[in-house]
Amino acid sequence: MNRPYIFCHMMTSIDGKIMGSYMGTPEGEAAGKEFYKIAFGSHPYYRHQGWLSGRVTTDDNFTFYKRPVLDEDAPPVPEGDFVALPNALMYYVSVDPSGKLGWESNQLTYMDTTAHVLEVLTEKAGNAYKAFLRKLGLSYIIAGEDSLDYALAMEKVKTLFGIQTLMLGGGGVLNWSFIQAGMCDELSVLIAAAADGSSETPALFETRGGLAVDMPVRFTLKSAKVREGGSVWLRYTVNK
């Protein structure tokens, strides 16, 4: 398989939401700690070399909707991909097709996990944005013309950066589009014993924006375990 093994690991409320006020409850906080321990922490269950999220999730958690500082007169950058750090212990892979995220550093820290940032762009990203990333020492790959080429992106993630196992971490549209594209092998869901009933917050899987269709997908249960705070950890194989 010329791509990493990809598992989608997400925390949700009982009603399937990946964000919301339920996260601030004691049960939500307990589930959040369990979510981190499973994928990161000192003794993680998964031994992955990177985790992948979409642009909105990245802005919500790391870049906070800052605008990139671009030099529209920057000299043309070399064609193709830019590998700034080929042997990082952990990568944060950010799907940003048009090049909009306002990074200020080539690495980020999530609790006690530090990762080198790897941007996944398409041909829609301009020279000024690619020059901006190079100036920061931030890696990027080009995968697709007007829309993301999933297979090419994941092939490059594996061959250029040595990522054998990759965590898919939201949002709901990105999760579902990867599953619809046949690019997800396993689903791991940590369900908090809480809900807030909001109809405004995103769900685990979504088809918004026409980025994926509502074609049903079947899953096979691998395991179910009770964790702290009444949370439940479910693992499924994605049926192809």
Side-chain angles (χ1 to χ4, degrees):
M1 184 168 62
N2 201 22
R3 65 167 176 83
Y5 178 86
I6 300 174
F7 68 99
C8 180
H9 179 57
M10 299 291 293
M11 170 183 152
T12 75
S13 61
I14 285 179
D15 53 349
K17 300 304 178 67
I18 59 176
M19 294 178 63
S21 58
Y22 78 90
M23 301 175 83
T25 65
E27 293 81 5
E29 291 177 354
K33 292 178 182 177
E34 291 297 307
F35 168 85
Y36 185 81
K37 284 166 59 178
I38 290 168
F40 301 100
S42 57
H43 301 288
Y45 179 84
Y46 295 102
R47 301 286 179 175
H48 56 296
Q49 297 82 45
W51 83 101
L52 177 147
S53 293
R55 183 184 60 79
V56 174
T57 299
T58 300
D59 257 339
D60 282 342
N61 293 282
F62 299 114
T63 49
F64 308 111
Y65 294 88
K66 298 184 182 74
R67 297 174 65 87
V69 180
L70 303 182
D71 177 6
E72 297 296 344
D73 298 319
V77 303
E79 293 289 328
D81 310 310
F82 178 59
V83 181
L85 187 61
N87 298 303
L89 295 177
M90 180 66 72
Y91 289 95
Y92 179 77
V93 185
S94 175
V95 177
D96 184 19
S98 299
K100 295 183 178 180
L101 291 168
W103 296 102
E104 295 181 334
S105 171
N106 65 359
Q107 69 176 32
L108 58 78
T109 300
Y110 169 46
M111 297 181 71
D112 61 357
T113 300
T114 299
H116 177 74
V117 179
L118 164 57
E119 279 264 283
V120 180
L121 307 173
T122 66
E123 297 291 352
K124 292 193 296 184
N127 181 77
Y129 190 74
K130 288 181 278 190
F132 162 73
L133 297 181
R134 284 173 174 264
K135 186 175 180 180
L136 287 174
L138 196 153
S139 300
Y140 64 80
I141 58 175
I142 312 295
E145 294 186 8
D146 296 323
S147 59
L148 178 65
D149 184 328
Y150 297 89
L152 179 59
M154 294 301 98
E155 178 183 340
K156 288 185 175 184
V157 159
K158 182 175 183 178
T159 57
L160 296 179
F161 298 91
I163 298 176
Q164 301 295 320
T165 303
L166 181 67
M167 171 182 149
L168 173 60
V173 174
L174 187 72
N175 290 344
W176 191 240
S177 66
F178 262 72
I179 286 178
Q180 288 285 337
M183 304 297 289
C184 185
D185 303 292
E186 179 180 336
L187 173 64
S188 166
V189 185
L190 202 289
I191 303 175
D196 54 38
S198 172
S199 59
E200 304 299 321
T201 49
L204 175 62
F205 300 131
E206 297 193 322
T207 61
R208 279 183 297 127
L211 296 179
V213 297
D214 58 357
M215 181 81 66
V217 173
R218 297 166 56 245
F219 301 83
T220 298
L221 183 66
K222 296 177 70 173
S223 64
K225 297 181 180 179
V226 177
R227 305 284 289 209
E228 292 296 321
S231 59
V232 179
W233 180 29
L234 304 176
R235 292 179 59 223
Y236 296 90
T237 299
V238 183
N239 294 341
K240 302 296 174 63

